[in-house]
Amino acid sequence: MAENVFVSRHPLVLDRLTSLRDRATPTPAFRKLVHDLAQFLFVEAASDLELTTTQVTTPITTCGGHRLKGSIGLVPILRAGLGMAESILEMMPDAQVWHLGLCRDHRTLQPIAYYNKLNEQSKLDVVFVVDPMLATGGSAIAAIDELKKWGMGRIKFLGLIAAPEGVAAMQRQHPDVPLHLGVVDSHLNEVGYIVPGLGDAGDRQFGTRTE
Ligand code: PRP
Ligand code: URA
């Protein structure tokens, strides 16, 4: 694996991923798993955020302390990235959230952009693009193209399950963007789903599975 691809080996991540994959996991439990996994991966992905030093007065005395430096943003790719962003926001309540709406054309697998709130004010020091699935990589690449166009600072991608095809495509198009992943699976099937994967992350999170 390339040096900026970080695949978690944390036992809690491995345990929760197994439940996430399970077809018998109902929607409310699935959402809770996405919530927990997003927080575990975020803690790992945020380990190199910059700090400033400060002083803090405890009930006993004054000592040195630290504060996070710079502006931090979350960019959920709609709709499946929403659950991840909401859970990370619990840990980072001051983060800005900039939504990007992208969905795959089921025939061509190309991303279709349908919502974009980015503007001149959306420049941030570090942004975390969040989406549970990195399949062909088309959606993540399109999202990051857009963020770079608006002059965002450092960009990191957080995903729960990736296909090797998506990881390779991201490495080709955006080699500067580190990938923080729960797991890299075997391959994509003939209709662009990750194998073994978990099925459709959006449908499973929002209870819209129809088959
Ligand atoms: C899923 C997923 C990613 C994308 C990954 O979204 O959440 O955004 O597919 O596939 P790719 O790497 O081949 O682009 P989908 O298009 O199903 O939309 P949804 O989140 O609204 O369900
Ligand atoms: N999007 C999903 O939700 N699941 C996949 O396996 C691939 C893309």
Side-chain angles (χ1 to χ4, degrees):
M1 212 49 78
E3 65 182 26
N4 65 347
V5 180
F6 303 96
V7 182
S8 180
R9 298 298 307 159
H10 199 291
L12 292 183
V13 170
L14 299 179
D15 175 86
R16 302 307 196 277
L17 276 172
T18 304
S19 302
L20 193 77
R21 291 187 191 280
D22 190 339
R23 61 187 293 170
T25 299
T27 294
F30 189 91
R31 269 202 294 270
K32 169 75 172 128
L33 290 163
V34 169
H35 171 282
D36 292 355
L37 282 161
Q39 292 195 344
F40 299 149
L41 292 182
F42 178 76
V43 168
E44 291 182 357
S47 64
D48 63 354
L49 288 184
E50 283 188 52
L51 294 168
T52 55
T53 54
T54 185
Q55 293 276 304
V56 59
T57 304
T58 77
I60 312 297
T61 185
T62 296
C63 65
H66 299 92
R67 292 282 174 213
L68 286 171
K69 185 175 162 188
S71 50
I72 290 169
L74 303 176
V75 177
I77 301 182
L78 307 180
R79 80 201 136 125
L82 280 173
M84 293 180 70
E86 277 168 21
S87 120
I88 296 168
L89 206 49
E90 288 175 12
M91 308 178 85
M92 301 288 293
D94 294 328
Q96 295 182 23
V97 184
W98 294 90
H99 298 86
L100 283 180
L102 291 162
C103 66
R104 296 200 304 177
D105 178 309
H106 285 294
R107 200 176 40 84
T108 64
L109 301 184
Q110 293 304 305
I112 301 168
Y114 63 88
Y115 188 76
N116 183 344
K117 279 292 274 183
L118 296 171
N119 60 34
E120 297 77 25
Q121 274 91 56
S122 52
K123 286 190 179 53
L124 294 161
D125 294 313
V126 189
V127 290
F128 295 83
V129 177
V130 298
D131 190 329
M133 310 305 273
L134 182 70
T136 65
S139 304
I141 289 166
I144 292 164
D145 285 345
E146 201 54 35
L147 292 170
K148 287 185 173 174
K149 211 157 76 192
W150 286 102
M152 289 287 187
R154 287 168 67 203
I155 301 172
K156 293 168 177 254
F157 178 88
L158 261 72
L160 305 186
I161 302 187
E165 293 89 334
V167 172
M170 279 287 287
Q171 297 277 281
R172 274 194 306 277
Q173 299 297 319
H174 294 298
D176 55 312
V177 174
L179 305 179
H180 293 271
L181 304 169
V183 65
V184 179
D185 271 3
S186 166
H187 63 280
L188 292 177
N189 69 13
E190 58 294 348
V191 288
Y193 274 83
I194 300 175
V195 181
L198 53 71
D200 188 301
D203 283 345
R204 293 199 64 188
Q205 242 178 111
F206 297 110
T208 51
R209 193 158 42 162
T210 48
E211 81 281 8

